[in-house]
mmCIF file of all heavy atoms in Angstrom:
data_model
loop_
_atom_site.group_PDB
_atom_site.id
_atom_site.type_symbol
_atom_site.label_atom_id
_atom_site.label_comp_id
_atom_site.label_asym_id
_atom_site.label_seq_id
_atom_site.Cartn_x
_atom_site.Cartn_y
_atom_site.Cartn_z
ATOM 1 N N GLY X 211 0.802 -1.223 0.004
ATOM 2 C CA GLY X 211 0.002 0.005 -0.001
ATOM 3 C C GLY X 211 0.831 1.276 0.000
ATOM 4 O O GLY X 211 0.350 2.327 0.398
ATOM 5 N N ARG X 212 2.073 1.169 -0.473
ATOM 6 C CA ARG X 212 2.965 2.318 -0.496
ATOM 7 C C ARG X 212 3.119 2.809 -1.942
ATOM 8 O O ARG X 212 4.160 2.683 -2.586
ATOM 9 C CB ARG X 212 4.310 1.974 0.143
ATOM 10 C CG ARG X 212 4.150 1.645 1.632
ATOM 11 C CD ARG X 212 5.282 0.856 2.229
ATOM 12 N NE ARG X 212 6.539 1.589 2.268
ATOM 13 C CZ ARG X 212 7.635 1.145 2.887
ATOM 14 N NH1 ARG X 212 7.594 -0.025 3.536
ATOM 15 N NH2 ARG X 212 8.742 1.858 2.875
ATOM 16 N N GLY X 213 2.001 3.341 -2.450
ATOM 17 C CA GLY X 213 1.922 3.701 -3.866
ATOM 18 C C GLY X 213 2.889 4.784 -4.292
ATOM 19 O O GLY X 213 3.439 4.724 -5.393
ATOM 20 N N ARG X 214 3.093 5.787 -3.441
ATOM 21 C CA ARG X 214 4.003 6.873 -3.801
ATOM 22 C C ARG X 214 5.433 6.366 -3.985
ATOM 23 O O ARG X 214 6.141 6.780 -4.902
ATOM 24 C CB ARG X 214 3.968 7.961 -2.724
ATOM 25 C CG ARG X 214 2.673 8.739 -2.658
ATOM 26 C CD ARG X 214 2.488 9.613 -3.885
ATOM 27 N NE ARG X 214 1.215 10.324 -3.861
ATOM 28 C CZ ARG X 214 0.727 10.986 -4.894
ATOM 29 N NH1 ARG X 214 1.423 11.030 -6.025
ATOM 30 N NH2 ARG X 214 -0.442 11.598 -4.823
ATOM 31 N N GLU X 215 5.832 5.459 -3.104
ATOM 32 C CA GLU X 215 7.191 4.887 -3.220
ATOM 33 C C GLU X 215 7.304 4.003 -4.455
ATOM 34 O O GLU X 215 8.347 3.980 -5.120
ATOM 35 C CB GLU X 215 7.525 4.102 -1.963
ATOM 36 C CG GLU X 215 7.792 5.001 -0.755
ATOM 37 C CD GLU X 215 7.761 4.245 0.557
ATOM 38 O OE1 GLU X 215 6.648 4.009 1.073
ATOM 39 O OE2 GLU X 215 8.838 3.895 1.056
ATOM 40 N N ALA X 216 6.218 3.266 -4.766
ATOM 41 C CA ALA X 216 6.211 2.454 -5.975
ATOM 42 C C ALA X 216 6.373 3.335 -7.208
ATOM 43 O O ALA X 216 7.147 3.017 -8.132
ATOM 44 C CB ALA X 216 4.914 1.649 -6.063
ATOM 45 N N LEU X 217 5.688 4.474 -7.226
ATOM 46 C CA LEU X 217 5.813 5.420 -8.334
ATOM 47 C C LEU X 217 7.229 5.987 -8.436
ATOM 48 O O LEU X 217 7.785 6.150 -9.536
ATOM 49 C CB LEU X 217 4.811 6.561 -8.162
ATOM 50 C CG LEU X 217 3.367 6.275 -8.574
ATOM 51 C CD1 LEU X 217 2.453 7.422 -8.117
ATOM 52 C CD2 LEU X 217 3.256 6.069 -10.078
ATOM 53 N N TYR X 218 7.812 6.276 -7.288
ATOM 54 C CA TYR X 218 9.175 6.821 -7.277
ATOM 55 C C TYR X 218 10.151 5.846 -7.924
ATOM 56 O O TYR X 218 10.949 6.235 -8.794
ATOM 57 C CB TYR X 218 9.620 7.103 -5.842
ATOM 58 C CG TYR X 218 11.103 7.399 -5.709
ATOM 59 C CD1 TYR X 218 11.612 8.652 -6.023
ATOM 60 C CD2 TYR X 218 11.992 6.400 -5.278
ATOM 61 C CE1 TYR X 218 12.966 8.936 -5.908
ATOM 62 C CE2 TYR X 218 13.355 6.673 -5.175
ATOM 63 C CZ TYR X 218 13.843 7.925 -5.487
ATOM 64 O OH TYR X 218 15.176 8.176 -5.390
ATOM 65 N N TRP X 219 10.071 4.573 -7.537
ATOM 66 C CA TRP X 219 10.999 3.571 -8.081
ATOM 67 C C TRP X 219 10.680 3.244 -9.532
ATOM 68 O O TRP X 219 11.588 2.912 -10.309
ATOM 69 C CB TRP X 219 11.016 2.326 -7.207
ATOM 70 C CG TRP X 219 11.694 2.570 -5.894
ATOM 71 C CD1 TRP X 219 11.114 2.702 -4.669
ATOM 72 C CD2 TRP X 219 13.101 2.764 -5.694
ATOM 73 N NE1 TRP X 219 12.069 2.968 -3.721
ATOM 74 C CE2 TRP X 219 13.294 3.005 -4.305
ATOM 75 C CE3 TRP X 219 14.215 2.756 -6.526
ATOM 76 C CZ2 TRP X 219 14.549 3.236 -3.762
ATOM 77 C CZ3 TRP X 219 15.473 2.989 -5.981
ATOM 78 C CH2 TRP X 219 15.634 3.219 -4.618
ATOM 79 N N PHE X 220 9.428 3.368 -9.913
ATOM 80 C CA PHE X 220 9.068 3.193 -11.322
ATOM 81 C C PHE X 220 9.730 4.260 -12.168
ATOM 82 O O PHE X 220 10.296 3.971 -13.237
ATOM 83 C CB PHE X 220 7.548 3.252 -11.471
ATOM 84 C CG PHE X 220 7.067 3.122 -12.891
ATOM 85 C CD1 PHE X 220 7.035 1.877 -13.515
ATOM 86 C CD2 PHE X 220 6.645 4.240 -13.617
ATOM 87 C CE1 PHE X 220 6.584 1.754 -14.834
ATOM 88 C CE2 PHE X 220 6.194 4.120 -14.929
ATOM 89 C CZ PHE X 220 6.177 2.869 -15.524
ATOM 90 N N MET X 221 9.717 5.504 -11.704
ATOM 91 C CA MET X 221 10.356 6.584 -12.427
ATOM 92 C C MET X 221 11.867 6.435 -12.448
ATOM 93 O O MET X 221 12.531 6.724 -13.451
ATOM 94 C CB MET X 221 9.967 7.938 -11.796
ATOM 95 C CG MET X 221 8.486 8.268 -11.902
ATOM 96 S SD MET X 221 7.830 8.146 -13.587
ATOM 97 C CE MET X 221 8.822 9.387 -14.431
ATOM 98 N N GLN X 222 12.435 5.965 -11.314
ATOM 99 C CA GLN X 222 13.871 5.720 -11.258
ATOM 100 C C GLN X 222 14.288 4.667 -12.284
ATOM 101 O O GLN X 222 15.332 4.778 -12.926
ATOM 102 C CB GLN X 222 14.281 5.256 -9.857
ATOM 103 C CG GLN X 222 14.187 6.342 -8.791
ATOM 104 C CD GLN X 222 15.165 7.480 -9.046
ATOM 105 O OE1 GLN X 222 16.356 7.271 -9.264
ATOM 106 N NE2 GLN X 222 14.643 8.701 -9.032
ATOM 107 N N MET X 223 13.470 3.661 -12.430
ATOM 108 C CA MET X 223 13.738 2.601 -13.398
ATOM 109 C C MET X 223 13.761 3.170 -14.828
ATOM 110 O O MET X 223 14.661 2.874 -15.623
ATOM 111 C CB MET X 223 12.671 1.506 -13.286
ATOM 112 C CG MET X 223 12.729 0.443 -14.363
ATOM 113 S SD MET X 223 11.331 -0.687 -14.219
ATOM 114 C CE MET X 223 11.473 -1.548 -15.790
ATOM 115 N N CYS X 224 12.752 3.988 -15.141
ATOM 116 C CA CYS X 224 12.686 4.595 -16.471
ATOM 117 C C CYS X 224 13.874 5.533 -16.717
ATOM 118 O O CYS X 224 14.447 5.572 -17.813
ATOM 119 C CB CYS X 224 11.372 5.350 -16.640
ATOM 120 S SG CYS X 224 9.906 4.272 -16.574
ATOM 121 N N MET X 225 14.267 6.269 -15.677
ATOM 122 C CA MET X 225 15.410 7.181 -15.797
ATOM 123 C C MET X 225 16.714 6.424 -15.968
ATOM 124 O O MET X 225 17.683 6.942 -16.531
ATOM 125 C CB MET X 225 15.484 8.084 -14.558
ATOM 126 C CG MET X 225 14.366 9.127 -14.501
ATOM 127 S SD MET X 225 14.272 10.000 -12.909
ATOM 128 C CE MET X 225 15.885 10.802 -12.875
ATOM 129 N N ALA X 226 16.755 5.179 -15.485
ATOM 130 C CA ALA X 226 17.952 4.353 -15.636
ATOM 131 C C ALA X 226 18.055 3.756 -17.051
ATOM 132 O O ALA X 226 19.012 3.049 -17.358
ATOM 133 C CB ALA X 226 17.949 3.227 -14.606
ATOM 134 N N GLY X 227 17.067 4.080 -17.880
ATOM 135 C CA GLY X 227 17.107 3.621 -19.264
ATOM 136 C C GLY X 227 16.486 2.257 -19.500
ATOM 137 O O GLY X 227 16.642 1.683 -20.585
ATOM 138 N N LEU X 228 15.774 1.735 -18.501
ATOM 139 C CA LEU X 228 15.141 0.427 -18.643
ATOM 140 C C LEU X 228 13.672 0.604 -18.992
ATOM 141 O O LEU X 228 12.962 1.422 -18.396
ATOM 142 C CB LEU X 228 15.268 -0.388 -17.360
ATOM 143 C CG LEU X 228 16.672 -0.902 -17.033
ATOM 144 C CD1 LEU X 228 16.692 -1.522 -15.655
ATOM 145 C CD2 LEU X 228 17.130 -1.899 -18.056
ATOM 146 N N LYS X 229 13.220 -0.169 -19.942
ATOM 147 C CA LYS X 229 11.840 -0.094 -20.388
ATOM 148 C C LYS X 229 10.984 -1.072 -19.586
ATOM 149 O O LYS X 229 11.321 -2.259 -19.504
ATOM 150 C CB LYS X 229 11.756 -0.417 -21.889
ATOM 151 C CG LYS X 229 10.347 -0.441 -22.439
ATOM 152 C CD LYS X 229 10.348 -0.913 -23.889
ATOM 153 C CE LYS X 229 8.921 -1.140 -24.382
ATOM 154 N NZ LYS X 229 8.910 -1.669 -25.774
ATOM 155 N N PRO X 230 9.885 -0.612 -18.994
ATOM 156 C CA PRO X 230 9.023 -1.534 -18.242
ATOM 157 C C PRO X 230 8.383 -2.540 -19.184
ATOM 158 O O PRO X 230 8.142 -2.258 -20.354
ATOM 159 C CB PRO X 230 7.968 -0.597 -17.630
ATOM 160 C CG PRO X 230 7.952 0.603 -18.504
ATOM 161 C CD PRO X 230 9.343 0.761 -18.992
ATOM 162 N N ASN X 231 8.125 -3.752 -18.654
ATOM 163 C CA ASN X 231 7.394 -4.752 -19.446
ATOM 164 C C ASN X 231 5.942 -4.816 -18.961
ATOM 165 O O ASN X 231 5.532 -4.024 -18.104
ATOM 166 C CB ASN X 231 8.094 -6.114 -19.380
ATOM 167 C CG ASN X 231 8.213 -6.646 -17.958
ATOM 168 O OD1 ASN X 231 7.428 -6.287 -17.074
ATOM 169 N ND2 ASN X 231 9.201 -7.508 -17.736
ATOM 170 N N LEU X 232 5.192 -5.741 -19.473
ATOM 171 C CA LEU X 232 3.784 -5.846 -19.121
ATOM 172 C C LEU X 232 3.567 -6.132 -17.649
ATOM 173 O O LEU X 232 2.641 -5.613 -17.017
ATOM 174 C CB LEU X 232 3.118 -6.937 -19.980
ATOM 175 C CG LEU X 232 2.972 -6.613 -21.469
ATOM 176 C CD1 LEU X 232 2.492 -7.846 -22.226
ATOM 177 C CD2 LEU X 232 2.040 -5.432 -21.712
ATOM 178 N N ILE X 233 4.477 -6.950 -17.071
ATOM 179 C CA ILE X 233 4.343 -7.288 -15.636
ATOM 180 C C ILE X 233 4.642 -6.065 -14.782
ATOM 181 O O ILE X 233 3.995 -5.840 -13.760
ATOM 182 C CB ILE X 233 5.279 -8.453 -15.284
ATOM 183 C CG1 ILE X 233 4.953 -9.673 -16.135
ATOM 184 C CG2 ILE X 233 5.164 -8.812 -13.808
ATOM 185 C CD1 ILE X 233 5.906 -10.837 -15.971
ATOM 186 N N THR X 234 5.627 -5.273 -15.194
ATOM 187 C CA THR X 234 5.953 -4.034 -14.472
ATOM 188 C C THR X 234 4.728 -3.107 -14.454
ATOM 189 O O THR X 234 4.412 -2.504 -13.419
ATOM 190 C CB THR X 234 7.136 -3.304 -15.124
ATOM 191 O OG1 THR X 234 8.166 -4.221 -15.430
ATOM 192 C CG2 THR X 234 7.668 -2.219 -14.216
ATOM 193 N N CYS X 235 4.071 -2.995 -15.591
ATOM 194 C CA CYS X 235 2.898 -2.119 -15.667
ATOM 195 C C CYS X 235 1.761 -2.616 -14.781
ATOM 196 O O CYS X 235 1.054 -1.812 -14.168
ATOM 197 C CB CYS X 235 2.443 -2.008 -17.129
ATOM 198 S SG CYS X 235 3.608 -1.111 -18.171
ATOM 199 N N THR X 236 1.599 -3.934 -14.710
ATOM 200 C CA THR X 236 0.603 -4.488 -13.794
ATOM 201 C C THR X 236 0.912 -4.094 -12.357
ATOM 202 O O THR X 236 0.037 -3.712 -11.586
ATOM 203 C CB THR X 236 0.539 -6.022 -13.908
ATOM 204 O OG1 THR X 236 0.204 -6.392 -15.250
ATOM 205 C CG2 THR X 236 -0.493 -6.614 -12.951
ATOM 206 N N ALA X 237 2.205 -4.183 -12.005
ATOM 207 C CA ALA X 237 2.645 -3.859 -10.636
ATOM 208 C C ALA X 237 2.378 -2.392 -10.296
ATOM 209 O O ALA X 237 1.849 -2.085 -9.225
ATOM 210 C CB ALA X 237 4.126 -4.187 -10.468
ATOM 211 N N ILE X 238 2.724 -1.490 -11.206
ATOM 212 C CA ILE X 238 2.574 -0.055 -10.880
ATOM 213 C C ILE X 238 1.099 0.351 -10.903
ATOM 214 O O ILE X 238 0.663 1.197 -10.111
ATOM 215 C CB ILE X 238 3.428 0.818 -11.830
ATOM 216 C CG1 ILE X 238 3.490 2.258 -11.306
ATOM 217 C CG2 ILE X 238 2.929 0.762 -13.246
ATOM 218 C CD1 ILE X 238 4.106 2.380 -9.928
ATOM 219 N N LEU X 239 0.290 -0.244 -11.769
ATOM 220 C CA LEU X 239 -1.139 0.048 -11.776
ATOM 221 C C LEU X 239 -1.808 -0.484 -10.505
ATOM 222 O O LEU X 239 -2.719 0.145 -9.956
ATOM 223 C CB LEU X 239 -1.811 -0.560 -13.013
ATOM 224 C CG LEU X 239 -1.494 0.125 -14.352
ATOM 225 C CD1 LEU X 239 -2.104 -0.670 -15.499
ATOM 226 C CD2 LEU X 239 -1.979 1.560 -14.365
ATOM 227 N N THR X 240 -1.331 -1.632 -10.031
ATOM 228 C CA THR X 240 -1.828 -2.168 -8.759
ATOM 229 C C THR X 240 -1.499 -1.227 -7.614
ATOM 230 O O THR X 240 -2.324 -0.994 -6.732
ATOM 231 C CB THR X 240 -1.200 -3.559 -8.497
ATOM 232 O OG1 THR X 240 -1.559 -4.450 -9.547
ATOM 233 C CG2 THR X 240 -1.677 -4.134 -7.171
ATOM 234 N N ALA X 241 -0.280 -0.687 -7.630
ATOM 235 C CA ALA X 241 0.128 0.267 -6.595
ATOM 236 C C ALA X 241 -0.792 1.470 -6.571
ATOM 237 O O ALA X 241 -1.212 1.938 -5.508
ATOM 238 C CB ALA X 241 1.582 0.716 -6.836
ATOM 239 N N CYS X 242 -1.121 1.978 -7.750
ATOM 240 C CA CYS X 242 -2.022 3.130 -7.828
ATOM 241 C C CYS X 242 -3.413 2.773 -7.334
ATOM 242 O O CYS X 242 -4.064 3.573 -6.643
ATOM 243 C CB CYS X 242 -2.088 3.630 -9.273
ATOM 244 S SG CYS X 242 -0.530 4.323 -9.880
ATOM 245 N N SER X 243 -3.856 1.579 -7.667
ATOM 246 C CA SER X 243 -5.195 1.132 -7.254
ATOM 247 C C SER X 243 -5.306 1.008 -5.742
ATOM 248 O O SER X 243 -6.275 1.467 -5.140
ATOM 249 C CB SER X 243 -5.517 -0.214 -7.911
ATOM 250 O OG SER X 243 -6.747 -0.719 -7.461
ATOM 251 N N TYR X 244 -4.286 0.405 -5.123
ATOM 252 C CA TYR X 244 -4.337 0.138 -3.676
ATOM 253 C C TYR X 244 -4.204 1.391 -2.822
ATOM 254 O O TYR X 244 -4.484 1.366 -1.621
ATOM 255 C CB TYR X 244 -3.248 -0.858 -3.288
ATOM 256 C CG TYR X 244 -3.528 -2.275 -3.721
ATOM 257 C CD1 TYR X 244 -2.591 -3.280 -3.508
ATOM 258 C CD2 TYR X 244 -4.710 -2.637 -4.350
ATOM 259 C CE1 TYR X 244 -2.829 -4.584 -3.916
ATOM 260 C CE2 TYR X 244 -4.951 -3.923 -4.758
ATOM 261 C CZ TYR X 244 -4.006 -4.899 -4.549
ATOM 262 O OH TYR X 244 -4.256 -6.185 -4.944
ATOM 263 N N THR X 245 -3.757 2.493 -3.438
ATOM 264 C CA THR X 245 -3.580 3.723 -2.652
ATOM 265 C C THR X 245 -4.411 4.888 -3.181
ATOM 266 O O THR X 245 -4.201 6.033 -2.782
ATOM 267 C CB THR X 245 -2.080 4.118 -2.631
ATOM 268 O OG1 THR X 245 -1.520 3.952 -3.936
ATOM 269 C CG2 THR X 245 -1.304 3.262 -1.664
ATOM 270 N N GLY X 246 -5.343 4.588 -4.076
ATOM 271 C CA GLY X 246 -6.259 5.628 -4.540
ATOM 272 C C GLY X 246 -5.650 6.667 -5.436
ATOM 273 O O GLY X 246 -6.162 7.785 -5.541
ATOM 274 N N LEU X 247 -4.556 6.327 -6.121
ATOM 275 C CA LEU X 247 -3.893 7.281 -7.017
ATOM 276 C C LEU X 247 -4.492 7.156 -8.424
ATOM 277 O O LEU X 247 -3.860 6.665 -9.348
ATOM 278 C CB LEU X 247 -2.379 7.019 -7.032
ATOM 279 C CG LEU X 247 -1.678 7.101 -5.682
ATOM 280 C CD1 LEU X 247 -0.227 6.666 -5.803
ATOM 281 C CD2 LEU X 247 -1.771 8.509 -5.111
ATOM 282 N N ALA X 248 -5.733 7.622 -8.541
ATOM 283 C CA ALA X 248 -6.477 7.427 -9.796
ATOM 284 C C ALA X 248 -5.852 8.170 -10.970
ATOM 285 O O ALA X 248 -5.698 7.601 -12.060
ATOM 286 C CB ALA X 248 -7.928 7.848 -9.600
ATOM 287 N N ASP X 249 -5.496 9.434 -10.786
ATOM 288 C CA ASP X 249 -4.936 10.229 -11.885
ATOM 289 C C ASP X 249 -3.611 9.647 -12.359
ATOM 290 O O ASP X 249 -3.366 9.573 -13.581
ATOM 291 C CB ASP X 249 -4.751 11.681 -11.449
ATOM 292 C CG ASP X 249 -6.077 12.410 -11.231
ATOM 293 O OD1 ASP X 249 -7.092 11.931 -11.805
ATOM 294 O OD2 ASP X 249 -6.106 13.402 -10.494
#
């Protein structure tokens, strides 16, 4: 339920030049869902 931290590390991953895959996107969307980060 730590959606903000999940978003932070997602952005860090993208900044490191790594492209998220489908499973990564499931993980970050789940993070947003569990913490009410609709936008």
Side-chain angles (χ1 to χ4, degrees):
R212 295 161 66 172
R214 291 292 177 190
E215 287 165 278
L217 281 170
Y218 168 79
W219 289 106
F220 179 77
M221 296 308 298
Q222 290 296 309
M223 172 185 168
C224 296
M225 289 170 62
L228 289 172
K229 177 186 172 183
N231 59 25
L232 291 172
I233 302 173
T234 315
C235 291
T236 300
I238 192 60
L239 288 174
T240 299
C242 293
S243 176
Y244 287 176
T245 43
L247 301 174
D249 291 338

